[in-house]
Amino acid sequence: MMYYWVLPAPAPAAPQIATVTPAPTVPPTPLPSPQPTLPPAQLDDGLLRLTILDLQAENAQLRAATHLLRAAITLDEAVQALQRNDFAEADRALMTARRALDRAYQLSFEPQKGPIDSIRLQISQIRDDLGVRPEGADRRLWQVRRLILALVDE
């Protein structure tokens, strides 16, 4: 035995009549005068140039940070050489760190140039002191290394 459900047919819809009401009259607001704009091609070129300049600045900043990290690693090598009493190797490492700092200085922005220059001066003083009084040079190098790493963290 099968059961079927029968649904009643929908009632015929009455025709809809739309009534039109007049819209209130509003005084027209003056349109702003068009500002001279660059054509889309020139606008895209300007935006593209700004993007390229931003990327170049970011690249220089990353390269400067890389050179700062190289200097910090080289100072570690200098400290290890001092602990072995290998003053020639420590001197070589200090010169390598100085060159890395020179490259970082060239690529860095103005706020970092002063601290980098100060660090270069400290390394030169430590290097000069190696032949005369090497005691305490490793401690001074660790302090300089901390300064370099602080610059990288900025």
Side-chain angles (χ1 to χ4, degrees):
M1 180 181 262
M2 291 178 87
Y3 294 101
Y4 292 99
W5 292 86
V6 179
L7 297 174
Q16 297 284 333
I17 301 175
T19 58
V20 178
T21 57
T25 58
V26 177
T29 58
L31 295 175
S33 61
Q35 299 294 328
T37 59
L38 295 173
Q42 287 180 352
L43 183 63
D44 291 341
D45 286 347
L47 184 61
L48 184 61
R49 284 188 185 111
L50 285 175
T51 303
I52 289 171
L53 288 174
D54 287 344
L55 289 174
Q56 287 174 340
E58 184 178 337
N59 184 31
Q61 185 178 7
L62 289 173
R63 289 176 56 206
T66 301
H67 288 297
L68 288 171
L69 290 173
R70 282 184 184 156
I73 290 169
T74 308
L75 289 181
D76 286 340
E77 294 171 5
V79 169
Q80 291 172 4
L82 286 174
Q83 290 172 348
R84 294 188 313 263
N85 288 329
D86 188 353
F87 297 111
E89 179 64 23
D91 186 60
R92 184 205 58 78
L94 289 175
M95 287 301 297
T96 304
R98 173 64 194 250
R99 282 193 295 273
L101 287 169
D102 289 342
R103 290 184 190 113
Y105 183 86
Q106 293 170 355
L107 294 168
S108 66
F109 296 121
E110 282 302 316
Q112 284 188 332
K113 287 189 184 242
I116 291 174
D117 199 36
S118 172
I119 291 170
R120 291 190 304 184
L121 179 63
Q122 290 178 29
I123 287 178
S124 294
Q125 289 172 345
I126 293 170
R127 187 170 172 258
D128 290 342
D129 291 345
L130 276 183
V132 183
R133 50 181 176 205
E135 59 278 346
D138 54 347
R139 181 185 48 79
R140 291 168 56 195
L141 287 173
W142 280 112
Q143 290 172 343
V144 170
R145 181 181 175 275
R146 278 197 305 250
L147 291 173
I148 292 172
L149 293 177
L151 278 176
V152 172
D153 284 339
E154 286 181 352

